[in-house]
Amino acid sequence: MSNHDVPGSAPRCWSRLVGEPLPVEHAAELAQTFKALGDPARLRLLSLIASHTDGEACVCDLSEEFELSGPTISHHLRILREAGLVTGERRGTWIHYRAVPARLERLSDLLTPTLITAEAVAP
Amino acid sequence: MSNHDVPGSAPRCWSRLVGEPLPVEHAAELAQTFKALGDPARLRLLSLIASHTDGEACVCDLSEEFELSGPTISHHLRILREAGLVTGERRGTWIHYRAVPARLERLSDLLTPTLITAEAVAP
């Protein structure tokens, strides 16, 4: 993304999200991903999957640790998959889910404050 | 937050969000913030505010650059304020908005992959 490379012309360019106005075409895709994270159950599911042994979990694992029904968990997992935050691989009866580090890294990078200020360069 | 300090016991602790299961009480607050970012118009508004001269903007500035009506912009700004992503200060006729770097930094930090793996420590 171009706004990762350009520090921006504003005096205080403290975030890669905001170094320059976010293009419309990026906003829609990013908003979908943030919306997927905008639910407590999905945030906890993502956290449980990635904290699970070997970084993967199936609905059978999650049902044991989570207070939601299997179909509700599957619904939330579908949204996380569509947003690119988890992948699913069927092995035998179950789909095994893994979080996608590259996707989280991209979001993290976008929100990272860079604190490029006039003061920082020449105090 | 405790999961910022503890690398976790899973072999692959690649994100501070997922080093250990996210506590329920944190999930609700964080989900509200991600939900506020989960709208293309709000993402662009946040970006426009922080990219504006001196890092602040009023609705009058945003209306010029944005295709939404003043009341709609104000509605989105209220959601961003309630999520702690922007602050507003009334000066004269207008409220001047600024993004909140500390809030974005917290979200970024939470999503940062840390890549603490058994291989990285002892290959």
Side-chain angles (χ1 to χ4, degrees):
Chain A
M1 285 172 61
S2 62
N3 61 343
H4 281 198
D5 306 322
V6 180
S9 56
R12 184 175 294 271
C13 169
W14 46 260
S15 166
R16 296 175 189 187
L17 174 65
V18 295
E20 61 186 31
L22 188 67
V24 176
E25 61 271 23
H26 293 167
E29 181 210 345
L30 288 166
Q32 186 204 2
T33 312
F34 283 123
K35 193 172 180 181
L37 293 173
D39 180 280
R42 288 198 290 275
L43 270 182
R44 290 187 61 223
L45 277 171
L46 177 60
S47 177
L48 283 167
I49 290 168
S51 306
H52 206 262
T53 309
D54 296 329
E56 75 170 27
C58 63
V59 175
C60 55
D61 298 318
L62 298 167
S63 299
E64 290 174 10
E65 303 187 49
F66 223 76
E67 64 277 18
L68 300 177
S69 70
T72 301
I73 290 174
S74 294
H75 164 75
H76 285 307
L77 289 171
R78 184 172 55 76
I79 293 173
L80 289 172
R81 281 178 80 168
E82 288 172 357
L85 291 161
V86 303
T87 56
E89 183 192 348
R90 180 174 289 281
R91 292 204 297 277
T93 307
W94 299 102
I95 299 174
H96 295 257
Y97 293 92
R98 284 186 170 274
V100 179
R103 189 71 170 167
L104 292 182
E105 189 170 12
R106 186 182 168 203
L107 296 180
S108 172
D109 202 38
L110 193 82
L111 296 169
T112 302
T114 53
L115 287 166
I116 299 169
T117 64
E119 293 82 358
V121 175
Chain B
M1 284 174 61
S2 62
N3 60 345
H4 281 201
D5 306 322
V6 180
S9 57
R12 186 174 293 271
C13 168
W14 47 259
S15 168
R16 298 177 187 186
L17 174 65
V18 295
E20 60 187 30
L22 188 67
V24 176
E25 61 271 23
H26 294 168
E29 181 210 347
L30 287 167
Q32 186 205 2
T33 312
F34 283 124
K35 192 171 181 181
L37 292 174
D39 180 280
R42 287 197 289 275
L43 269 183
R44 290 188 61 223
L45 276 171
L46 178 59
S47 177
L48 282 168
I49 289 168
S51 305
H52 207 262
T53 309
D54 296 331
E56 74 171 26
C58 62
V59 175
C60 54
D61 298 318
L62 299 167
S63 300
E64 291 174 10
E65 303 187 50
F66 223 75
E67 63 276 20
L68 301 176
S69 69
T72 301
I73 291 174
S74 295
H75 164 74
H76 285 307
L77 288 171
R78 185 172 54 76
I79 293 173
L80 290 172
R81 282 178 80 169
E82 287 172 357
L85 291 160
V86 303
T87 56
E89 183 191 349
R90 181 174 289 280
R91 291 204 299 276
T93 306
W94 299 100
I95 299 174
H96 295 258
Y97 293 91
R98 285 186 169 275
V100 180
R103 189 69 169 169
L104 292 183
E105 189 170 13
R106 185 182 168 202
L107 297 179
S108 172
D109 203 38
L110 194 83
L111 296 169
T112 302
T114 53
L115 288 166
I116 299 169
T117 65
E119 294 81 358
V121 175

